[in-house]
Amino acid sequence: MSAEAMTLFSTELAARFDALVERYPVRRSALIPMLLYAQDEIGYLSDAVIEEVARRIGITPLDVRNVATYYSMLRFKPAGKFNVQVCTNISCMLRGGYKIFERFQERLGIGHKGVTADGLFSLEEVECIGACCWAPAVQVNYDFHDELTEEQVDAILDEYRSRSQKAGSR
Amino acid sequence: MADVTFTVDGKKLTAPAGTLLIEACRKAGIEIPAFCYYPGLSLQAACRMCVVRQEKVPKLQTACTTPVAEGQVFITDSPEIAQARKATLQLLLGNHPLDCPVCDAGGECELQDMTFKYGAGESLYAEAKQHREEQQWSPVVYFDRPRCILCYRCVRMCGEGMDVWALGIQNRGVSAVIAPNGGDHLDCEQCGMCIDVCPVGALTSGTYRYKSRPWEMNHVSTVCTHCGDGCKVTLGVRRADDGMEIVRADNRDKSGINGDFLCAKGRFGFDFVHGKDRLTRPLVRNAAGVLEPTTWEKAIRLVAQKFGETVGTGDGQIGVIGSPRITNEENYLLQKFARTVLRTQHIDHERTADYPTFSRMLAGAEDRAASHREIAAAPAILVLGGNPTEEHPLLAWSLRTNFRLNHARLYLANTQPIRLERQARQTLRISDYDALVRYLGGEDAAMASIAGAAEFRQALLAEESLVVVAGAEYRGASLAALMRWGLCRTGVKFALLSDFANARGAADMGVYPDLLPGYLPLAGEQPLHSEYAGMPTNSGLDLTAMVEAATTGALKALYVVGSDPVTALGVAQGALRNSFVVVEDCFLTATAAEADVVLPAASLYEKTGTVTSCYGDIQMVRKAADVAGVKPDFEIVVRLAGAMGVDVRKLVPFGQSTGVHADMGQSRGAQAGEADRHAVWLTANDLEPRLSPFDPLATLDEVERLVPSYRLDRLNLFAGNEMTTTPGAGFVSLDSLVGRKDGVVATHPGLFRSGELGRKTEMLQKLQAYQEGFHSAAAAD
Amino acid sequence: MPRLVSHPDEVKIVTRRFGMGASKIDRYLELDGYASARKALAEGSDWIINEMKASGLRGRGGAGFPTGMKWSFVPKQSAKPKYVLVNGDESEPGTCKDHLIFLHDPHAVIEGTIIAGLAIGAKMGFIYLRGEYRYLIENVERAVAEAYERGFLGRNIFGSETEFQVIVQSGAGAYEVGEESALMESLEGKRGVPRIKPPFPAVVGLYGGPTVINNAETIATVPHVLAMGGAAYAAVGSERNGGTRLFGLSGHIARPGVYELPMGYSLRKMIYEVGGGVRGGRKLKAVVPGGSSTPVLLPEEIDIGMDFDQVGKAGSMLGSGGVVVIDDQTCMVEFALRTIQFYQHESCGWCIPCREGTDWLKKSLTRFHAGFGTEKDIDNIQYLAENMMGRTFCPLGDAAAMPTLGFVKKFRKEFEDHLHGKPCPYAHHPEVELV
């Protein structure tokens, strides 16, 4: 089987990739967004994903790794289905960001960079997510949750749990 | 660029506009410290050690990124700058392990030196240091992460310098780390350049780590023994139980044509010297047919007696095989010994390039041979055949560097893909090297079906000057045709690639059955005829024919120096028993195993003399290692001659034999005898006679006197610089070469392969197996 | 959905269309959208640059460089294509203004990008958003698609012979990429490490071509400047500080939010009138006036106008306009620690003083805040910060050192209160992990 035929990407992702690389004056410009999109679909940047991205861009896997490891949103181990990112930076800290983070730790039974046993949630303390005026804020995957109280933490977790169950029962 | 004048620390300096301040200062003797700046590599401005104050600029500037311009004023030394540098060092030392007492770099560490200079002696760091286990990335590359100061020299050297790009930077901030391409290992050329440029002990060498302290070694500058590129190498040697052992090889002094470059063979390929298979005692085949150790005296006496008896039966009874691995002096002496003492014309060596044709074509042409330095600086280079990256790593390095720094235009024509294509302006995939020459000469039909041929030729013909580097594919008529094409054009120079450390030297020294030193023909009246009184002047047998003749007994004796024809020619075991075989070598080669007498020889790292690179660069080799029991080939030949009752002075011009040097030979006449002629020459050249028959430099004197292309500037040569042969000098008969069999067998060494020497070098064997592991795994996928 | 706020003192120029559904192109057009771009296309480059110069608009990213002048540095003739780059990698703690622009008025960014392209003669623009802003990226991408549909972008914009393409690019988490040359590296698919300057982006920028790079707020302001005229825009602000600014009030403020106020607006009024004072009626302890990298101001230092020059004179910086209000129950050591923790996390690692300095400071402050500090540590923290200042490869080192120096110098007493095993007097977060 030819190397080109082997892919980890869905048809949509592969098509998106093919379209993206052609848009820029330089193919490589697609690298960082593509890594993020690949991570969204596959969950993390495995060695195989890195190799495939390298092949599609036309650079070495080392080169991809050099770049990928620079960006803090990219990860090399699986995270939970819902990755809870709690901002504790100054604006959030002043409005109880750490308390929110503690509440998540308590409720999920995991710490920074932990993943729940069922793989549903992972937790991260993150740097400023650009929601300072609506602090404290968290992101679950790409969804923002602003002006949180500790009580709302439980509701957020319940919401995602039920979302997952719905998806599962479908 | 026009020169500009600027002021540094109150001194007016002048440099071409655009010169980096750090370089301009270094040239003026003003030292500006830097970790990340490395000449020839891309700029980083990362270490912040080279900060200087520029007038009218608010912030301190980095000297490594500041191009000088007219009228600028700089301060490079002030309390402010010293404090900035000290603070940077303090920041670096914070998390640095300070395991200097056991660190390989201790004593020659740039971080240590700068700390010493800027006095960041008191540690302010009160936090826990982060320890990380050392990693082994390959048999030769080890990485100690906490020691790494992230100067990125290794990354740039590997990428920009080597074009291998096996090292990267991963993560960011304080987690940033140098990472190898295999995740936890390196799949690369294993050149060790990364280790070489590391300013601290973060990257250490598999052959050197924890072996020695820098100050325990002596450092001997010599020439690498492996390929024909002629890299200078500095061997770190240390006293061992059985002599002096080599513990390290590098070229940090950047001497020679290679600068700081060395490949894996040069850097890691020296353990053969003290290898377990090394011969250290002469062996003689006993009555039971088994080789048994004996003394030098007995062995020499036996060989001398046998040779003497054989010579007594007439001319041409003994075959002599020289070596592309031994010095010029040894090869010269060997052929002189063969012709004048053994009275045989059967002398040859393992030929890996057709230098006779090369020299013949250049005879009388001035300045048409390209030295390595010329190739490294040429604006345009045509590489025909060959595989520089694998077989001539320095050539590949120089071509890459020339492309990268000088935008040299590189043209490649090859039957297969080779690694330099990325640097090439044009690459032509061809199937017939001869056809290419015809095509270049205007025969369009010769390359009718080759894509890109027209553009290739057009671009080449547009070059005002061109260096043509030909691989061993070009030999005999095809080499002659190529050179004829080039010689018709102005500005074309040539180089011819060959495989071993002194392949060119062996050829230049006349280790041929049909050519004398300097490629002079045997026939006719040559100055050498009177020097080599009574030598046989009919053409002898070549290497293959000699071995064949030895198997039939047509040759009564075979004297093999530093060569293994049994392996090369696939000679059957026992086939040489009809002949008396003497082998001089470092190891018990297949040929040695068949010999009647085996004499343990010194390797190139254990002797003094000169070698000639395939580009004609003549360089001194110096004795670095010492292995008890072995002798240089030079000494062995002299001892053999002595034991045969020959007047050794006739073989090696040493001692004040005639006392004529004072009167320029007027009282005795130049024809009074060869020793006199030599003495006259010595006096004319302000040289003293050598005092010992074992001094190879005595023979070097004779080579210079008799071989026109070997004109040597002693001061430079002995200082470690290279002299370049002038193959155009002197007369070479064209006729003697017409229809001559070139006998070239290219051996295609690799990055870790180097003939028998490579097989006996444990580290090279390891590297070969290690790298093959990746490729066979890839093939299995 | 981020809450929108308003105050009578606001002068709504950039935020004029916020909350009005202008992210849809029809609505944007109803609100005079793309009129400035059409006008710019008709009037040409020199006119645009002159208006921009007259407006006194200064870069909203933090450095405050005059936008018109920046555009005029781009060579008219260039062998390589020129580019416009919009820096929407909003990452400075305390700053979330671009968030709202991308959410409520993405077309203003697109229109500003087109105008910048017309000004410098570029055919391609990139709008780079931080990767965390995925929903905003999608919003901007959707707006870009609309603009293409209408022919406002593409080979013949607004039916003219002029070409202009826009690509929306996602980052993937790196504060340092907010530095202009690092952003170019990132856009070229590389590590976000800044480039050596000179050459400056106006000459050698993205893909080696002349490049103008502006903050998203700056670009979103551009259409308004052309609509109202440079001089009129300038008149809104203070001397040498044209127009308005989006100030983000966060921290212990009663009414946090993003307010558009004239340049030079009083900081005291901003806190006590616009923001409703300190939350819960507490006392003000300190203000970080322009994002986490700007040195802290004391309550007695807030009688200044919020523009680049006046805040600079007060020993701090206007920065990104993120005003972080700190009440009297806050531990400044912890605040300093949280600030340096950010810079340690975001340091690219390229140069020694920043890489090692931020890490060392973080470790020292962590230990110090946990009660294991010594007198000497306070001096050492100051020494490290002083020796990072001005010595690093890019401004991130300064961004880490400046606030640290501010905290140590202005709150030395609070540092001393942590000495001798005393617990943090303000501890509301007792367990600080020793790393």
Side-chain angles (χ1 to χ4, degrees):
Chain A
M1 206 208 275
S2 83
E4 280 302 322
M6 290 182 354
T7 178
L8 299 157
F9 296 174
S10 66
T11 323
E12 298 75 43
L13 184 63
R16 188 171 188 185
F17 208 149
D18 292 342
L20 202 60
V21 288
E22 299 303 331
R23 289 186 67 192
Y24 301 92
V26 168
R27 284 175 76 84
R28 211 187 146 125
S29 283
L31 177 58
I32 292 155
M34 245 3 270
L35 286 169
L36 204 52
Y37 301 146
Q39 174 174 288
D40 292 344
E41 180 169 297
I42 289 150
Y44 70 107
L45 302 178
S46 63
D47 290 353
V49 170
I50 285 171
E51 268 166 43
E52 175 155 359
V53 170
R55 199 172 65 234
R56 284 175 181 271
I57 300 247
I59 56 179
T60 64
L62 176 71
D63 215 347
V64 173
R65 210 174 276 280
N66 294 342
V67 174
T69 53
Y70 182 90
Y71 295 91
S72 55
M73 289 174 72
L74 300 174
R75 54 179 176 257
F76 305 90
K77 282 187 202 131
K81 185 175 178 191
F82 301 110
N83 186 32
V84 181
Q85 302 146 74
V86 184
C87 175
T88 59
N89 210 309
I90 49 173
S91 297
C92 285
M93 176 179 89
L94 294 177
R95 293 181 89 91
Y98 278 116
K99 290 223 172 74
I100 302 290
F101 184 47
E102 275 160 25
R103 183 77 162 217
F104 273 114
Q105 291 187 56
E106 248 168 56
R107 288 292 183 265
L108 294 172
I110 50 175
H112 176 57
K113 299 260 181 193
V115 184
T116 56
D118 60 3
L120 200 55
F121 290 102
S122 51
L123 183 62
E124 257 186 281
E125 180 186 357
V126 295
E127 295 302 343
C128 181
I129 54 177
C132 316
C133 295
W134 318 293
V138 306
Q139 264 192 301
V140 181
N141 294 346
Y142 291 106
D143 306 338
F144 278 90
H145 298 271
D146 302 333
E147 302 187 73
L148 283 184
T149 60
E150 285 173 73
E151 292 68 43
Q152 280 172 289
V153 165
D154 303 11
I156 287 172
L157 290 176
D158 288 345
E159 183 197 326
Y160 284 99
R161 266 197 203 101
S162 71
R163 209 187 276 187
S164 160
Q165 275 158 6
K166 261 182 237 156
S169 63
R170 221 186 287 157
Chain B
M1 284 270 218
D3 278 359
V4 292
T5 304
F6 52 98
T7 309
V8 178
D9 300 334
K11 268 188 263 181
K12 285 250 185 269
L13 300 184
T14 302
T19 306
L20 295 173
L21 179 63
I22 195 167
E23 282 295 330
C25 285
R26 283 179 178 185
K27 287 211 174 79
I30 298 167
E31 205 200 313
I32 295 187
F35 290 118
C36 69
Y37 176 74
Y38 197 83
L41 298 181
S42 65
L43 303 178
Q44 311 282 288
C47 76
R48 318 308 288 175
M49 282 301 288
C50 70
V51 288
V52 296
R53 167 69 55 198
Q54 184 179 355
E55 200 180 71
K56 293 180 193 142
V57 176
K59 276 188 175 187
L60 293 178
Q61 299 293 295
T62 45
C64 72
T65 58
T66 304
V68 296
E70 186 63 40
Q72 288 172 330
V73 179
F74 298 101
I75 293 165
T76 73
D77 191 5
S78 70
E80 177 198 28
I81 290 161
Q83 172 55 34
R85 291 175 183 164
K86 177 180 169 181
T88 300
L89 288 169
Q90 284 172 321
L91 284 161
L92 258 189
L93 291 170
N95 209 8
H96 197 81
L98 302 181
D99 57 350
C100 311
V102 295
C103 176
D104 271 1
E108 49 185 18
C109 167
E110 296 181 33
L111 179 57
Q112 269 187 345
D113 294 349
M114 288 195 205
T115 304
F116 185 78
K117 181 165 179 188
Y118 291 98
E122 185 199 359
S123 178
L124 306 173
Y125 197 72
E127 318 308 326
K129 298 212 185 209
Q130 238 164 13
H131 177 71
R132 289 246 164 61
E133 288 305 313
E134 188 182 36
Q135 300 165 21
Q136 180 176 8
W137 282 350
S138 86
V140 290
V141 184
Y142 287 72
F143 179 58
D144 190 317
R145 180 173 168 184
R147 288 181 190 160
C148 175
I149 61 168
L150 289 164
C151 66
Y152 320 114
R153 282 189 198 175
C154 54
V155 176
R156 286 173 287 158
M157 183 53 85
C158 184
E160 299 167 20
M162 296 302 298
D163 194 31
V164 169
W165 307 95
L167 292 174
I169 311 160
Q170 293 179 3
N171 307 332
R172 71 180 186 215
V174 79
S175 305
V177 60
I178 304 300
N181 56 358
D184 59 355
H185 63 270
L186 266 171
D187 173 6
C188 66
E189 291 183 13
Q190 308 293 347
C191 65
M193 289 301 290
C194 52
I195 304 166
D196 196 58
V197 294
C198 182
V200 295
L203 287 162
T204 55
S205 146
T207 53
Y208 176 66
R209 58 197 296 275
Y210 302 133
K211 272 257 180 76
S212 174
R213 307 302 290 159
W215 54 85
E216 289 178 337
M217 293 181 284
N218 281 335
H219 301 279
V220 181
S221 183
T222 184
V223 176
C224 175
T225 182
H226 291 286
C227 82
D229 276 349
C231 288
K232 285 287 291 290
V233 57
T234 303
L235 299 176
V237 295
R238 192 176 63 169
R239 187 150 297 288
D241 290 345
D242 56 347
M244 295 289 276
E245 64 169 340
I246 302 173
V247 289
R248 185 169 79 175
D250 63 28
N251 203 43
R252 284 307 298 156
D253 64 1
K254 303 188 187 187
S255 62
I257 52 186
N258 49 313
D260 51 4
F261 175 78
L262 279 183
C263 73
K265 287 191 283 191
R267 194 179 306 282
F268 306 118
F270 53 77
D271 64 40
F272 66 86
V273 167
H274 286 263
K276 58 184 188 327
D277 293 341
R278 188 72 196 269
L279 292 174
T280 54
R281 297 178 69 185
L283 304 171
V284 170
R285 198 167 295 278
N286 62 17
V290 177
L291 285 171
E292 68 174 15
T294 184
T295 63
W296 272 104
E297 286 68 25
K298 281 184 186 160
I300 294 278
R301 211 179 307 139
L302 175 62
V303 176
Q305 184 204 335
K306 282 281 187 184
F307 280 0
E309 285 168 9
T310 311
V311 172
T313 65
D315 287 357
Q317 302 297 312
I318 303 176
V320 177
I321 297 174
S323 171
R325 293 252 197 223
I326 63 176
T327 65
N328 288 325
E329 294 74 16
E330 289 170 332
N331 271 313
Y332 178 88
L333 183 71
L334 188 66
Q335 63 84 34
K336 186 177 180 186
F337 175 71
R339 296 186 210 275
T340 65
V341 178
L342 300 182
R343 303 182 63 81
T344 180
Q345 64 278 38
H346 308 310
I347 173 155
D348 201 355
H349 68 286
E350 199 182 336
R351 311 177 194 177
T352 58
D354 187 3
Y355 287 117
T357 299
F358 185 76
S359 285
R360 174 190 67 165
M361 293 306 296
L362 292 177
E366 226 172 285
D367 205 18
R368 290 290 202 152
S371 68
H372 192 91
R373 277 192 205 278
E374 286 177 289
I375 297 170
I381 307 105
L382 169 64
V383 179
L384 299 173
N387 184 355
T389 307
E390 297 276 321
E391 300 176 11
H392 293 273
L394 172 63
L395 174 64
W397 163 267
S398 297
L399 292 173
R400 284 192 304 264
T401 306
N402 195 5
F403 163 76
R404 189 164 52 86
L405 301 182
N406 311 325
H407 309 291
R409 297 174 295 280
L410 176 61
Y411 302 90
L412 300 180
N414 209 303
T415 52
Q416 48 203 336
I418 59 170
R419 269 275 311 281
L420 283 166
E421 288 176 13
R422 215 154 34 175
Q423 285 75 26
R425 165 165 287 210
Q426 288 195 39
T427 298
L428 199 60
R429 189 65 34 77
I430 56 174
S431 53
D432 181 346
Y433 287 107
D434 290 344
L436 176 67
V437 176
R438 293 202 303 278
Y439 183 76
L440 290 177
E443 190 187 315
D444 289 351
M447 304 268 289
S449 59
I450 307 287
E455 297 79 4
F456 191 85
R457 181 172 66 182
Q458 194 181 0
L460 270 185
L461 296 183
E463 294 292 353
E464 279 178 16
S465 69
L466 183 69
V467 172
V468 179
V469 180
E473 291 89 340
Y474 283 92
R475 61 181 74 151
S478 81
L479 179 60
L482 170 68
M483 295 180 70
R484 215 171 288 124
W485 167 77
L487 287 165
C488 292
R489 307 179 50 80
T490 54
V492 176
K493 294 191 182 196
F494 299 92
L496 181 63
L497 301 176
S498 54
D499 289 348
F500 298 103
N502 201 28
R504 174 72 176 268
D508 286 353
M509 293 304 110
V511 186
Y512 283 113
D514 55 346
L515 294 169
L516 292 169
Y519 307 97
L520 297 174
L522 285 170
E525 274 302 308
Q526 304 291 343
L528 266 173
H529 288 113
S530 55
E531 300 263 347
Y532 291 8
M535 69 169 170
T537 54
N538 53 330
S539 281
L541 302 173
D542 68 12
L543 190 145
T544 313
M546 267 192 272
V547 173
E548 215 173 278
T551 61
T552 63
L555 274 181
K556 295 200 178 93
L558 197 58
Y559 180 22
V560 183
V561 177
S563 190
D564 185 13
V566 165
T567 302
L569 302 173
V571 177
Q573 205 181 346
L576 291 173
R577 76 167 67 93
N578 294 325
S579 177
F580 177 72
V581 179
V582 178
V583 171
E584 251 167 66
D585 214 309
C586 300
F587 306 102
L588 195 71
T589 60
T591 310
E594 301 287 300
D596 296 285
V597 180
V598 181
L599 303 171
S603 77
L604 200 64
Y605 289 157
E606 300 144 39
K607 58 174 76 153
T608 298
T610 64
V611 290
T612 307
S613 81
C614 58
Y615 317 101
D617 301 310
I618 306 160
Q619 301 183 95
M620 281 291 288
V621 297
R622 285 174 209 280
K623 182 179 169 69
D626 202 349
V627 177
V630 306
K631 292 186 191 302
D633 298 296
F634 193 91
E635 182 178 334
I636 300 171
V637 174
V638 173
R639 280 186 190 275
L640 272 179
M644 288 173 75
V646 172
D647 177 3
V648 174
R649 275 176 219 277
K650 289 195 170 158
L651 206 56
V652 181
F654 76 99
Q656 300 195 7
S657 56
T658 61
V660 297
H661 63 283
D663 64 7
M664 295 297 286
Q666 285 165 12
S667 59
R668 301 281 294 269
Q671 301 304 313
E674 65 205 63
D676 287 1
R677 205 185 285 177
H678 191 75
V680 169
W681 182 86
L682 283 178
T683 308
N685 286 281
D686 264 344
L687 295 168
E688 295 292 323
R690 309 288 166 179
L691 296 175
S692 157
F694 301 131
D695 186 351
L697 298 178
T699 288
L700 182 65
D701 292 340
E702 182 168 316
V703 168
E704 183 172 358
R705 178 166 63 88
L706 296 173
V707 180
S709 61
Y710 277 59
R711 288 279 169 261
L712 305 167
D713 168 351
R714 300 292 161 129
L715 194 64
N716 258 315
L717 184 72
F718 293 173
N721 299 324
E722 80 281 2
M723 296 288 103
T724 303
T725 60
T726 48
F731 171 77
V732 177
S733 162
L734 296 170
D735 301 343
S736 67
L737 289 146
V738 171
R740 179 179 180 275
K741 205 173 121 193
D742 59 70
V744 170
V745 181
T747 63
H748 299 300
L751 283 171
F752 318 112
R753 277 182 287 119
S754 179
E756 182 67 8
L757 209 52
R759 283 188 286 277
K760 297 297 183 193
T761 308
E762 226 174 281
M763 188 51 93
L764 293 182
Q765 290 298 100
K766 252 192 226 175
L767 287 174
Q768 179 76 26
Y770 177 80
Q771 283 300 129
E772 267 169 8
F774 297 122
H775 299 145
S776 58
D781 275 350
Chain C
M1 211 51 162
R3 193 151 48 94
L4 286 175
V5 289
S6 73
H7 187 270
D9 280 4
E10 277 191 287
V11 177
K12 297 213 173 211
I13 296 175
V14 177
T15 57
R16 184 161 77 86
R17 304 188 189 97
F18 282 17
M20 298 171 85
S23 74
K24 299 268 191 315
I25 197 161
D26 287 325
R27 184 71 181 127
Y28 184 73
L29 288 166
E30 279 170 28
L31 297 167
D32 311 323
Y34 289 108
S36 292
R38 285 177 204 275
K39 191 168 181 197
L41 184 61
E43 299 284 349
S45 163
D46 291 345
W47 177 81
I48 303 170
I49 290 177
N50 284 337
E51 288 298 317
M52 291 311 298
K53 281 185 176 168
S55 74
L57 176 64
R58 290 169 68 171
R60 299 305 192 223
F65 196 84
T67 306
M69 201 186 297
K70 190 185 235 183
W71 292 6
S72 70
F73 290 159
V74 176
K76 291 256 181 265
Q77 301 300 322
S78 166
K80 289 198 167 176
K82 303 183 218 178
Y83 299 99
V84 175
L85 244 164
V86 181
N87 186 348
D89 190 51
E90 179 170 68
S91 307
E92 174 86 0
T95 317
C96 52
K97 61 196 177 58
D98 300 342
H99 190 139
L100 290 182
I101 296 173
F102 290 132
L103 180 62
H104 291 283
D105 206 2
H107 282 290
V109 178
I110 298 166
E111 189 175 357
T113 311
I114 296 172
I115 295 167
L118 292 169
I120 65 159
K123 289 197 172 83
M124 192 177 255
F126 293 87
I127 304 172
Y128 188 110
L129 278 74
R130 62 181 302 186
E132 291 87 345
Y133 283 178
R134 174 62 64 83
Y135 85 109
L136 301 173
I137 293 169
E138 286 165 0
N139 199 41
V140 180
E141 273 178 342
R142 194 194 37 72
V144 165
E146 285 179 338
Y148 268 105
E149 260 169 46
R150 300 296 168 95
F152 302 166
L153 291 173
R155 284 213 165 278
N156 306 95
I157 63 169
F158 305 106
S160 72
E161 291 299 301
T162 304
E163 176 181 356
F164 198 74
Q165 313 282 348
V166 164
I167 296 178
V168 181
Q169 182 85 348
S170 170
Y175 168 78
E176 177 65 351
V177 165
E179 198 279 343
E180 55 183 21
S181 61
L183 193 144
M184 291 172 198
E185 289 286 295
S186 178
L187 195 38
E188 290 180 12
K190 300 177 197 156
R191 294 166 62 83
V193 173
R195 296 176 179 173
I196 294 168
K197 284 175 246 178
F200 292 97
V203 184
V204 180
L206 188 65
Y207 308 121
T211 303
V212 137
I213 172 163
N214 285 113
N215 182 263
E217 183 188 343
T218 314
I219 285 288
T221 309
V222 167
H224 301 292
V225 168
L226 295 194
M228 62 198 285
Y233 180 80
V236 177
S238 56
E239 196 185 339
R240 299 205 299 122
N241 287 269
T244 58
R245 178 98 212 241
L246 269 57
F247 290 100
L249 271 82
S250 71
H252 295 141
I253 188 90
R255 289 197 296 268
V258 175
Y259 298 90
E260 183 169 14
L261 295 161
M263 290 292 269
Y265 191 83
S266 155
L267 177 56
R268 178 177 293 280
K269 277 173 73 182
M270 201 181 289
I271 294 167
Y272 287 102
E273 294 178 21
V274 178
V278 180
R279 185 174 71 164
R282 288 233 173 84
K283 251 182 81 188
L284 181 68
K285 183 187 244 181
V287 186
V288 174
S292 63
S293 63
T294 58
V296 67
L297 295 175
L298 296 172
E300 57 269 31
E301 294 172 317
I302 63 172
D303 290 305
I304 51 168
M306 287 290 274
D307 65 28
F308 291 106
D309 303 320
Q310 295 183 61
V311 184
K313 217 177 278 174
S316 187
M317 288 164 78
L318 186 63
S320 60
V323 179
V324 184
V325 175
I326 300 163
D327 75 13
D328 59 353
Q329 298 293 296
T330 312
C331 171
M332 293 313 289
V333 176
E334 188 184 8
F335 197 90
L337 166 61
R338 190 61 190 85
T339 304
I340 202 68
Q341 195 178 315
F342 171 72
Y343 291 102
Q344 188 266 1
H345 185 260
E346 299 300 334
S347 168
C348 78
W350 186 250
C351 74
I352 292 167
C354 175
R355 179 183 74 231
E356 302 296 334
T358 51
D359 190 54
W360 192 335
L361 284 173
K362 176 192 159 182
K363 284 178 180 161
S364 287
L365 281 164
T366 304
R367 179 170 50 79
F368 197 94
H369 185 242
F372 301 100
T374 63
E375 193 89 49
K376 212 176 145 193
D377 283 324
I378 307 174
D379 294 333
N380 197 36
I381 288 165
Q382 185 169 340
Y383 175 82
L384 290 175
E386 275 168 354
N387 279 286
M388 288 165 68
M389 278 296 297
R391 309 254 179 85
T392 52
F393 184 71
C394 84
L396 195 144
D398 294 348
M402 274 187 304
T404 306
L405 277 176
F407 295 131
V408 181
K409 284 183 180 165
K410 290 183 178 170
F411 294 96
R412 190 171 174 107
K413 168 83 175 52
E414 252 180 65
F415 278 79
E416 285 166 354
D417 287 347
H418 282 74
L419 286 172
H420 314 300
K422 275 185 266 172
C424 171
Y426 307 96
H428 53 80
H429 179 250
E431 305 107 59
V432 179
E433 210 184 326
L434 263 180
V435 198

